[in-house]
Short mmCIF file of all heavy atoms in Angstrom, two decimals:
data_model
loop_
_atom_site.label_atom_id
_atom_site.label_comp_id
_atom_site.label_asym_id
_atom_site.label_seq_id
_atom_site.Cartn_x
_atom_site.Cartn_y
_atom_site.Cartn_z
N LEU A 387 -13.72 3.34 -7.19
CA LEU A 387 -14.58 2.43 -6.43
C LEU A 387 -15.10 1.30 -7.33
O LEU A 387 -15.12 0.14 -6.92
CB LEU A 387 -15.74 3.21 -5.80
CG LEU A 387 -16.65 2.42 -4.86
CD1 LEU A 387 -15.84 1.81 -3.71
CD2 LEU A 387 -17.74 3.33 -4.33
N VAL A 388 -15.50 1.63 -8.54
CA VAL A 388 -15.97 0.60 -9.48
C VAL A 388 -14.84 -0.39 -9.78
O VAL A 388 -15.06 -1.61 -9.77
CB VAL A 388 -16.50 1.24 -10.78
CG1 VAL A 388 -16.72 0.21 -11.87
CG2 VAL A 388 -17.78 2.02 -10.51
N LEU A 389 -13.64 0.11 -10.03
CA LEU A 389 -12.51 -0.76 -10.35
C LEU A 389 -12.11 -1.63 -9.15
O LEU A 389 -11.86 -2.83 -9.30
CB LEU A 389 -11.32 0.07 -10.81
CG LEU A 389 -11.50 0.76 -12.16
CD1 LEU A 389 -10.40 1.79 -12.40
CD2 LEU A 389 -11.56 -0.25 -13.29
N VAL A 390 -12.08 -1.04 -7.97
CA VAL A 390 -11.73 -1.80 -6.77
C VAL A 390 -12.79 -2.86 -6.47
O VAL A 390 -12.47 -3.99 -6.11
CB VAL A 390 -11.51 -0.85 -5.57
CG1 VAL A 390 -11.39 -1.60 -4.27
CG2 VAL A 390 -10.26 0.00 -5.79
N ALA A 391 -14.05 -2.50 -6.66
CA ALA A 391 -15.13 -3.47 -6.46
C ALA A 391 -15.00 -4.61 -7.47
O ALA A 391 -15.24 -5.78 -7.12
CB ALA A 391 -16.49 -2.78 -6.60
N THR A 392 -14.61 -4.29 -8.68
CA THR A 392 -14.40 -5.33 -9.70
C THR A 392 -13.30 -6.29 -9.28
O THR A 392 -13.43 -7.51 -9.43
CB THR A 392 -14.07 -4.69 -11.07
OG1 THR A 392 -15.14 -3.83 -11.45
CG2 THR A 392 -13.84 -5.75 -12.13
N ILE A 393 -12.22 -5.74 -8.75
CA ILE A 393 -11.12 -6.60 -8.27
C ILE A 393 -11.62 -7.51 -7.15
O ILE A 393 -11.30 -8.70 -7.12
CB ILE A 393 -9.92 -5.75 -7.82
CG1 ILE A 393 -9.29 -5.05 -9.03
CG2 ILE A 393 -8.87 -6.62 -7.09
CD1 ILE A 393 -8.31 -3.95 -8.68
N LEU A 394 -12.41 -6.97 -6.24
CA LEU A 394 -12.95 -7.79 -5.15
C LEU A 394 -13.87 -8.88 -5.68
O LEU A 394 -13.83 -10.02 -5.21
CB LEU A 394 -13.68 -6.92 -4.13
CG LEU A 394 -12.78 -6.15 -3.17
CD1 LEU A 394 -13.58 -5.12 -2.39
CD2 LEU A 394 -12.05 -7.10 -2.22
N VAL A 395 -14.70 -8.55 -6.65
CA VAL A 395 -15.59 -9.56 -7.25
C VAL A 395 -14.75 -10.67 -7.89
O VAL A 395 -15.03 -11.86 -7.71
CB VAL A 395 -16.54 -8.91 -8.29
CG1 VAL A 395 -17.22 -9.97 -9.15
CG2 VAL A 395 -17.57 -8.04 -7.60
N LEU A 396 -13.71 -10.28 -8.62
CA LEU A 396 -12.83 -11.28 -9.23
C LEU A 396 -12.13 -12.12 -8.16
O LEU A 396 -11.96 -13.33 -8.32
CB LEU A 396 -11.80 -10.60 -10.13
CG LEU A 396 -12.35 -9.92 -11.39
CD1 LEU A 396 -11.25 -9.16 -12.12
CD2 LEU A 396 -13.01 -10.93 -12.31
N LYS A 397 -11.73 -11.49 -7.06
CA LYS A 397 -11.08 -12.21 -5.97
C LYS A 397 -11.99 -13.30 -5.43
O LYS A 397 -11.58 -14.45 -5.24
CB LYS A 397 -10.69 -11.23 -4.86
CG LYS A 397 -10.08 -11.87 -3.62
CD LYS A 397 -8.71 -12.41 -3.89
CE LYS A 397 -8.08 -12.92 -2.60
NZ LYS A 397 -6.78 -13.53 -2.85
N PHE A 398 -13.24 -12.96 -5.19
CA PHE A 398 -14.18 -13.94 -4.64
C PHE A 398 -14.63 -14.94 -5.70
O PHE A 398 -14.87 -16.11 -5.41
CB PHE A 398 -15.34 -13.24 -3.96
CG PHE A 398 -14.91 -12.48 -2.73
CD1 PHE A 398 -14.97 -11.10 -2.70
CD2 PHE A 398 -14.40 -13.14 -1.63
CE1 PHE A 398 -14.55 -10.40 -1.59
CE2 PHE A 398 -13.98 -12.45 -0.51
CZ PHE A 398 -14.04 -11.08 -0.49
N ARG A 399 -14.70 -14.50 -6.94
CA ARG A 399 -15.11 -15.38 -8.03
C ARG A 399 -14.07 -16.45 -8.32
O ARG A 399 -14.38 -17.61 -8.52
CB ARG A 399 -15.38 -14.57 -9.28
CG ARG A 399 -15.82 -15.38 -10.46
CD ARG A 399 -16.00 -14.49 -11.64
NE ARG A 399 -17.03 -15.01 -12.48
CZ ARG A 399 -17.36 -14.51 -13.63
NH1 ARG A 399 -16.76 -13.42 -14.07
NH2 ARG A 399 -18.30 -15.05 -14.36
N TYR A 400 -12.81 -16.04 -8.39
CA TYR A 400 -11.74 -16.97 -8.73
C TYR A 400 -11.15 -17.64 -7.50
O TYR A 400 -10.27 -18.49 -7.63
CB TYR A 400 -10.63 -16.26 -9.52
CG TYR A 400 -11.11 -15.68 -10.83
CD1 TYR A 400 -10.64 -14.46 -11.28
CD2 TYR A 400 -12.03 -16.34 -11.63
CE1 TYR A 400 -11.08 -13.92 -12.47
CE2 TYR A 400 -12.48 -15.82 -12.82
CZ TYR A 400 -11.99 -14.61 -13.23
OH TYR A 400 -12.42 -14.07 -14.41
N GLY A 401 -11.59 -17.27 -6.34
CA GLY A 401 -11.18 -17.94 -5.12
C GLY A 401 -9.70 -17.84 -4.78
O GLY A 401 -9.19 -18.63 -4.00
N GLY A 402 -9.00 -16.88 -5.35
CA GLY A 402 -7.61 -16.68 -5.01
C GLY A 402 -6.63 -17.56 -5.75
O GLY A 402 -5.45 -17.47 -5.58
N ALA A 403 -7.13 -18.49 -6.58
CA ALA A 403 -6.22 -19.38 -7.31
C ALA A 403 -6.37 -19.17 -8.80
O ALA A 403 -7.37 -18.64 -9.27
CB ALA A 403 -6.57 -20.84 -6.96
N ARG A 404 -5.38 -19.62 -9.54
CA ARG A 404 -5.47 -19.61 -11.00
C ARG A 404 -6.69 -20.44 -11.37
O ARG A 404 -6.86 -21.54 -10.89
CB ARG A 404 -4.20 -20.14 -11.63
CG ARG A 404 -4.23 -20.08 -13.15
CD ARG A 404 -2.89 -20.38 -13.73
NE ARG A 404 -1.89 -19.40 -13.40
CZ ARG A 404 -1.72 -18.23 -14.04
NH1 ARG A 404 -2.50 -17.91 -15.03
NH2 ARG A 404 -0.77 -17.41 -13.67
N HIS A 405 -7.53 -19.90 -12.20
CA HIS A 405 -8.79 -20.56 -12.57
C HIS A 405 -8.52 -21.98 -13.08
O HIS A 405 -7.73 -22.19 -13.98
CB HIS A 405 -9.49 -19.73 -13.63
CG HIS A 405 -10.91 -20.13 -13.84
ND1 HIS A 405 -11.85 -20.04 -12.85
CD2 HIS A 405 -11.55 -20.61 -14.93
CE1 HIS A 405 -13.01 -20.44 -13.32
NE2 HIS A 405 -12.85 -20.80 -14.58
N GLY A 406 -9.17 -22.95 -12.47
CA GLY A 406 -9.05 -24.32 -12.92
C GLY A 406 -7.92 -25.10 -12.28
O GLY A 406 -7.73 -26.26 -12.56
#
Side-chain angles (χ1 to χ4, degrees):
L387 186 58
V388 168
L389 292 168
V390 170
T392 301
I393 292 167
L394 282 169
V395 167
L396 293 174
K397 176 70 175 176
F398 293 113
R399 180 182 211 185
Y400 299 141
R404 182 170 296 277
H405 194 62

